[in-house]
Amino acid sequence: VYVSEDNLMVKLVFTSKMQKGKNYTLSYSDVFDKSGNKGKGSFSFLYDEEEADPPVSQQGVIRINEIMADPKGVKGLPETEYVEIYNTSNTSIVLDDWQFVYGGKGSAIKKVTLPAYAYAVLYKSGRTVHLDEGGVDVPLSGFPAYLANDGKTLELRDEDGVLIDEVTYEKATPGKSWEWTIDGWRLSLNSRGGTPGSRNIRGEVEPE
C-alpha cells in the first residue's frame, strides 16, 4: 500500500492476481481522516482488466512541475531558465530518447534515471543551475537559450513520440517561477523565487 504525494490516492498491491470477470468485495477499517475520525466500509466491483498496472509511458506519469521563464532579479538562485519535471509514480523511470519540446523543436533527453517521486531540472548546457537535495541534474544542449517571458507551450514526449505532458504557461513574473498545484499553476511563494529539484511550496492541499 502507498499513498500518493498529494494525499489524494491510495494504491493497493494484492498478493495474488485477480481473475478477469470475477466480482470482488473490498473492505476497509480503521481509516482516519486529518481530524482523527475513524471510518470503515466496503464496496464490490467487477474486475475486467487484463493488466492491473498501466504501462509506464502514459500521459501524466512524468509531469511538468515548475517553469522558471524569467529569472531576472531572482534571489538565492542563479539567473538561469529551467523547467522541472516530476515522477508521480512509485517506480524509477529511465528517460532515454525522450524529448523536451519548446516551440515545436525537440531537445533529446539521454539515459536519465528519474527515481520514484523525484524531481529533475532541465536547463541549457553550460549554464549554472541550483538543485535542491535529491534533484536530478539534466543539462540539455538543445534547451532554448531563453524561455519566452510572455508564455509558451512546453511538451514532454517519450521515445515513441507519445505526448506525456503539455503545459502552456502564462506571462512570467521576473524572479518567480510558475509552479504546478492541484488548483492550477501559481507563482512560487518561495523566498528564492523557485524550488528547483524539490517539492513546490503550495503544490499540495491537505484533504479535510
Side-chain angles (χ1 to χ4, degrees):
V1 178
Y2 80 86
V3 181
S4 63
E5 187 183 24
D6 56 14
N7 293 323
L8 298 179
M9 180 181 70
V10 175
K11 182 175 180 178
L12 306 177
V13 180
F14 298 93
T15 57
S16 59
K17 186 175 181 179
M18 292 184 180
Q19 299 178 23
K20 184 177 180 180
K22 185 176 180 180
N23 286 298
Y24 291 87
T25 298
L26 180 64
S27 300
Y28 61 92
S29 61
D30 296 332
V31 177
F32 294 86
D33 63 17
K34 291 292 183 178
S35 300
N37 302 307
K38 185 169 69 172
K40 65 179 181 178
S42 65
F43 60 90
S44 299
F45 62 93
L46 174 68
Y47 184 76
D48 61 359
E49 294 291 337
E50 291 287 356
E51 296 292 340
D53 294 322
V56 167
S57 184
Q58 64 173 337
Q59 190 174 30
V61 171
I62 304 295
R63 182 176 71 217
I64 297 173
N65 199 61
E66 184 177 346
I67 303 162
M68 176 64 83
D70 186 1
K72 185 177 180 180
V74 70
K75 299 178 180 179
L77 295 173
E79 290 192 2
T80 299
E81 290 92 342
Y82 65 82
V83 173
E84 179 192 80
I85 59 177
Y86 172 63
N87 182 359
T88 68
S89 76
N90 67 333
T91 303
S92 291
I93 298 177
V94 177
L95 313 182
D96 192 17
D97 287 330
W98 284 44
Q99 296 283 325
F100 169 70
V101 183
Y102 173 86
K105 184 177 181 180
S107 179
I109 302 173
K110 295 289 188 179
K111 296 181 180 179
V112 171
T113 298
L114 189 55
Y117 309 122
Y119 303 83
V121 177
L122 286 54
Y123 63 99
K124 182 72 172 177
S125 297
R127 295 189 176 173
T128 302
V129 74
H130 170 86
L131 285 176
D132 289 338
E133 185 176 357
V136 179
D137 185 50
V138 187
L140 301 174
S141 59
F143 193 91
Y146 298 99
L147 296 174
N149 292 341
D150 56 354
K152 199 77 170 182
T153 298
L154 310 177
E155 297 177 2
L156 186 65
R157 293 183 177 271
D158 70 8
E159 67 274 15
D160 296 318
V162 176
L163 181 66
I164 303 302
D165 197 14
E166 179 182 29
V167 171
T168 300
Y169 64 90
E170 297 182 8
K171 184 177 180 179
T173 295
K176 293 283 187 181
S177 70
W178 283 110
E179 293 185 337
W180 180 94
T181 78
I182 62 173
D183 296 317
W185 287 83
R186 301 286 186 269
L187 289 172
S188 176
L189 295 177
N190 190 281
S191 60
R192 301 175 303 172
T195 55
S198 64
R199 180 183 301 178
N200 298 339
I201 282 186
R202 53 184 179 185
E204 300 178 7
V205 176
E206 292 186 349
E208 294 181 358

